[in-house]
Amino acid sequence: MFVILFICSCSTTKYVPDNKYLLDNYKVKLNKRKIKEDELRSYIKPKPNKRILGFKLYLHIYNLSNRDRTNWINRSLRTIGEEPVIYDEFQVDKTRKQLELYLKNKGYYDAKIQDTVVIHKQKATVFYDIEEYLPYRIGNVSYACEDTALAVYLLRDTARSLIRRNDIFDVDVLSSERERIETLLKNRGYFRFSKEEYLFFEADSSNKAKTIDVTFIVKNFREVNQDGFIEVKPHPLYKIGKVFVHANYKSGETVTSTDELAEKYDTLESENINIIYSGSPNINSGIIVASTFLIPGNYFSQESVNITYRNLSSLDIYRLVNIIFSESDGQMDQTERKIDCNIQLTPFLSQSITLDPEVTNSSGNIGGRGNLIYQHRNLFMGAENFDFRIKGGIETQKKTNQSNFGNLIELGAETSLKIPKFFNPFGSDEFLRKYSPKTSLSLAYNFQHRPEYTRNIANVSFGYIWKGNRFLTHNVNPLELNYVMIPRMSQEFKDWIEGKYIAYSYLPHMLAVSSYNVVFSNQRIQSYQDFVYVRYTFESAGNILYSLYQMADFPMHNGVYELFNTAFAQYLRSDVDFRYYNIINQNTSLVYRFFAGAGVPYKNSTAMPFEKQYFSGGANSVRAWHVRDLGPGSYVELTPGLYPNKTADIKLEANLEYRFNLFWIMKGALFLDAGNIWAINKKDEREGAIFKFDKFYKDIAVGAGFGTRFDFSFFIFRLDLGIKIKDPVYPAGERWWFLANRKLERKDFVINIGIGYPF
């Protein structure tokens, strides 16, 4: 706090020269407010010094330095900080002209902009007062095509046009329409069609007031003939000719033609696609062929090129995929031509071993865990991704007032295999090319030793993954089997759970689960644009088995059906995770997250299995609480830490995080988290744990805090300090600490350590 106050006390105009002014702020005033203000702001230059929650942190850091540049502290402060941005009258005038040009491009040709500056204590604030007036609108839309063959495609596709009569005349929308038309024609075989060379629009505003008629002009094809003269002719159609796939291409290799490839390397032909390689083939040719949408004899399509890029990249064995086209010689007089395709694939290293360590802090129980991971990206030369990991963890459990390091031990092994095709009788190469499907198989075993019990969990699952489109990924697991045994349970623990609802969660059980998961993400890599991430999951367990047992009239044992002498769980469970990433600029962003989930046991199950219940708190949840240390509801454990009992059937969480760059590899974040978990069954005897519509909102816990992230490129180390703002374990009226007559205690501050961003 002292450091912040000290920084704040430094004058922001310390290094502003005499007779100059610090550009303190700028404001945009729109009279009609029909223009997006955020887009206008992007044209305003220069920008004032960056603010973090209204505070010019970097300028203040810069001003902490003095003029002695030989001192390393001063050099460091100036490197980390940001020198003052000076008000420049020339830049303001230039900005005004840029804004006027932008408004004209948006159809507001009569717009007027008045810029004024207010000076106060060597600080300048610039005001841009904008009067939009009425915009120009689109009148008639027509096409003038020199090539009548292209006119047929354009006129058939007018329903998808981005240009509509009476819309505001917007140059950006017209540019987008040019791109759409270019893509349309390239998907119809016109490989050499280019909007820059052959597609233009003409705007005519002479007919009606504030109305502009738009004509799209499509020029004929032009190329230099054998005599050196420019020849004008209809646009030629292109078919795919020879296709060469260089399966182990090395960056830097140069090849002038596809024929030279065939001479230089070994070649394997499969379905008219030539797989070339040096040495021995490193992949099954069938996988390459099935992933390639560029088929010899088919008309060229830009969409097929994009799908081929996606399919080959999704195999996860190539770090670089490059597709190069070359036109065959001697085709200049032909209206239908061929282009040869050279696909260059640069593989990853096929095998790797990594160690993933982690420090844990669960309800004050300090420990560590780690994974030793072996990965083979091409196990059987069919792009099969094989993953084998050995997991281990050790932790100190506080029991009463004593600690015994190592009394919580977890060991396990997990293996998974992803195969780039569907194992089913209805699969086809067409489906494989279009949706990049994968079959996933996994097998796992986990051993958990605690003072109160020993638990063994075996798991086997089988499922399918495929891309619905570039934004959607589907994952269906028709079958997942979990077998949970508890061979040892201490007498003290038995006595503690005896007669309690939680006892049902610790019975040996089997899970036969079917699940569906879909993920939507419109994030564009290396693009500073807002994006959304949504994950929805639905799973069902035991329903098919229960129906079959009923139909076969199987006998029950102790009121439940059993499989291999073990009761199987029956429940429905669903949750949704929604995230919105608001990218403010290259250095700052706001991230919103909302999570809701619920599980309902019924018929063959009285309670949700322990491993399928929700918990709250921790590095990726409500960070003012340790993992598994929040809830359920307002429940208070009588003997904290003895036998943690903080899982439940319903979970609600909301998070807000403001992220910003600090300096070097260090980044910062301010966050606000809220949420809790609740029980759904009224048999649960934990006081305050039951979800009730008329009071659940009173049990929402709220935490806030500050975090630092160290971005090492290959991984991000995260440290978050959370503070309990509202704690539902306190009586009503005392839950908000700043409203209650109580001081913050040490237990109200929690440090969470994590790898990667929390969401």
Side-chain angles (χ1 to χ4, degrees), residues 448 452-458 482-489 493-494 496-511 557-571 601 603-613 683:
Q448 300 171 358
E452 59 269 25
Y453 61 81
T454 299
R455 180 163 52 192
N456 300 308
I457 303 174
N482 287 275
Y483 188 58
V484 181
M485 291 296 295
I486 305 178
R488 180 192 65 83
M489 190 179 292
F493 185 66
K494 286 181 181 179
W496 183 75
I497 66 173
E498 183 69 32
K500 294 182 179 179
Y501 178 73
I502 194 176
Y504 294 106
S505 297
Y506 285 92
L507 294 175
H509 57 271
M510 175 173 283
L511 277 71
H557 296 274
N558 298 320
V560 297
Y561 290 119
E562 293 184 348
L563 180 64
F564 303 126
N565 298 321
T566 304
F568 59 84
Q570 189 173 8
Y571 64 85
K603 291 187 177 179
N604 218 53
S605 293
T606 304
M608 289 288 293
F610 180 82
E611 63 274 16
K612 293 294 182 178
Q613 293 182 346
K683 294 181 180 179

Side-chain angles (χ1 to χ4, degrees), residues 172-230:
D172 292 331
V173 176
L174 288 167
S175 297
S176 298
E177 176 64 6
R178 289 177 69 213
E179 292 179 7
R180 192 193 69 82
I181 291 174
E182 180 187 52
T183 301
L184 168 71
L185 295 176
K186 282 194 169 185
N187 285 335
R188 298 299 185 273
Y190 293 98
F191 168 71
R192 290 186 61 180
F193 185 87
S194 166
K195 67 179 186 295
E196 285 81 11
E197 294 183 73
Y198 304 115
L199 179 59
F200 309 93
F201 65 85
E202 187 177 85
D204 182 5
S205 61
S206 61
N207 294 331
K208 297 178 182 178
K210 291 190 178 293
T211 300
I212 299 177
D213 294 335
V214 177
T215 302
F216 284 95
I217 302 171
V218 183
K219 297 288 187 180
N220 264 329
F221 184 67
R222 289 167 172 78
E223 68 178 347
V224 180
N225 61 22
Q226 294 176 349
D227 298 325
F229 296 101
I230 295 177

Side-chain angles (χ1 to χ4, degrees), residues 641-712:
L642 180 61
Y643 300 120
N645 185 15
K646 296 196 173 185
T647 58
D649 314 308
I650 296 175
K651 180 176 180 177
L652 293 175
E653 277 185 1
N655 310 82
L656 172 63
E657 184 163 288
Y658 177 73
R659 297 173 181 173
F660 51 90
N661 292 347
L662 289 172
F663 54 88
W664 189 42
I665 62 171
M666 191 173 176
K667 300 181 179 182
L670 298 172
F671 58 84
L672 181 68
D673 303 327
N676 209 327
I677 56 174
W678 293 267
I680 203 169
N681 196 316
K682 293 183 179 180
K683 294 181 180 179
D684 194 320
E685 72 288 337
R686 293 175 293 181
E687 186 176 352
I690 305 299
F691 180 89
K692 296 180 180 179
F693 281 102
D694 60 346
K695 70 174 289 291
F696 80 91
Y697 60 91
K698 299 178 181 178
D699 296 335
I700 297 289
V702 180
F706 172 80
T708 55
R709 291 91 170 87
F710 297 89
D711 188 349
F712 296 100

Side-chain angles (χ1 to χ4, degrees), residues 22-87:
L22 175 73
L23 182 59
D24 188 52
N25 203 355
Y26 68 88
K27 296 181 180 180
V28 177
K29 181 182 178 183
L30 288 163
N31 293 335
K32 304 297 183 184
R33 294 202 170 273
K34 292 184 178 180
I35 297 291
K36 293 182 179 179
E37 190 172 323
D38 288 344
E39 292 184 8
L40 284 170
R41 291 180 183 278
S42 65
Y43 289 90
I44 296 176
K45 295 178 181 179
K47 296 286 194 301
N49 293 98
K50 293 193 293 288
R51 297 175 185 265
I52 296 178
L53 295 181
F55 177 63
K56 295 183 178 181
L57 174 65
Y58 300 101
L59 175 60
H60 282 288
I61 292 174
Y62 185 92
N63 288 340
L64 287 175
S65 67
N66 59 43
R67 301 185 186 278
D68 182 7
R69 301 201 176 195
T70 62
N71 187 302
W72 69 270
I73 296 179
N74 292 325
R75 292 199 306 270
S76 298
L77 289 170
R78 291 189 171 217
T79 300
I80 296 170
E82 184 180 67
E83 64 180 311
V85 177
I86 305 301
Y87 164 73

Side-chain angles (χ1 to χ4, degrees), residues 408-595:
L408 274 74
I409 298 174
E410 183 175 345
L411 298 172
E414 180 181 340
T415 182
S416 64
L417 182 67
K418 289 183 179 178
I419 305 166
K421 59 183 177 181
F422 270 10
F423 279 159
N424 73 85
F426 307 107
S428 66
D429 284 349
E430 188 69 19
F431 185 86
L432 180 59
R433 288 190 175 109
K434 191 172 183 180
Y435 297 109
S436 301
K438 294 183 180 181
T439 299
S440 175
L441 304 165
S442 69
L443 185 67
Y445 172 77
N446 186 264
F447 168 81
Q448 300 171 358
H449 173 79
R450 301 174 62 92
E452 59 269 25
Y453 61 81
T454 299
R455 180 163 52 192
N456 300 308
I457 303 174
N459 171 275
V460 59
S461 68
F462 167 78
Y464 302 112
I465 305 168
W466 73 94
K467 297 284 290 185
N469 54 43
R470 62 176 177 163
F471 300 132
L472 282 175
T473 302
H474 302 271
N475 189 341
V476 171
N477 282 339
L479 181 63
E480 177 187 343
L481 292 177
N482 287 275
Y483 188 58
V484 181
M485 291 296 295
I486 305 178
R488 180 192 65 83
M489 190 179 292
S490 70
Q491 189 60 48
E492 185 180 8
F493 185 66
K494 286 181 181 179
D495 295 340
W496 183 75
I497 66 173
E498 183 69 32
K500 294 182 179 179
Y501 178 73
I502 194 176
Y504 294 106
S505 297
Y506 285 92
L507 294 175
H509 57 271
M510 175 173 283
L511 277 71
V513 182
S514 298
S515 64
Y516 169 69
N517 175 282
V518 60
V519 174
F520 171 87
S521 175
N522 61 354
Q523 181 181 13
R524 298 178 185 271
I525 304 300
Q526 297 180 337
S527 174
Y528 296 102
Q529 294 181 352
D530 295 1
F531 64 95
V532 171
Y533 171 96
V534 183
R535 179 187 57 79
Y536 172 74
T537 302
F538 175 80
E539 65 179 61
S540 168
N543 294 294
I544 296 176
L545 275 176
Y546 192 91
S547 298
L548 291 174
Y549 275 46
Q550 276 194 324
M551 290 169 57
D553 200 22
F554 270 75
M556 285 186 169
H557 296 274
N558 298 320
V560 297
Y561 290 119
E562 293 184 348
L563 180 64
F564 303 126
N565 298 321
T566 304
F568 59 84
Q570 189 173 8
Y571 64 85
L572 295 175
R573 186 177 187 263
S574 181
D575 52 55
V576 61
D577 187 347
F578 173 85
R579 308 171 191 179
Y580 173 61
Y581 297 79
N582 175 213
I583 311 301
I584 299 172
N585 54 48
Q586 234 175 314
N587 300 306
T588 56
S589 61
L590 270 171
V591 185
Y592 306 83
R593 173 180 177 262
F594 174 75
F595 179 93

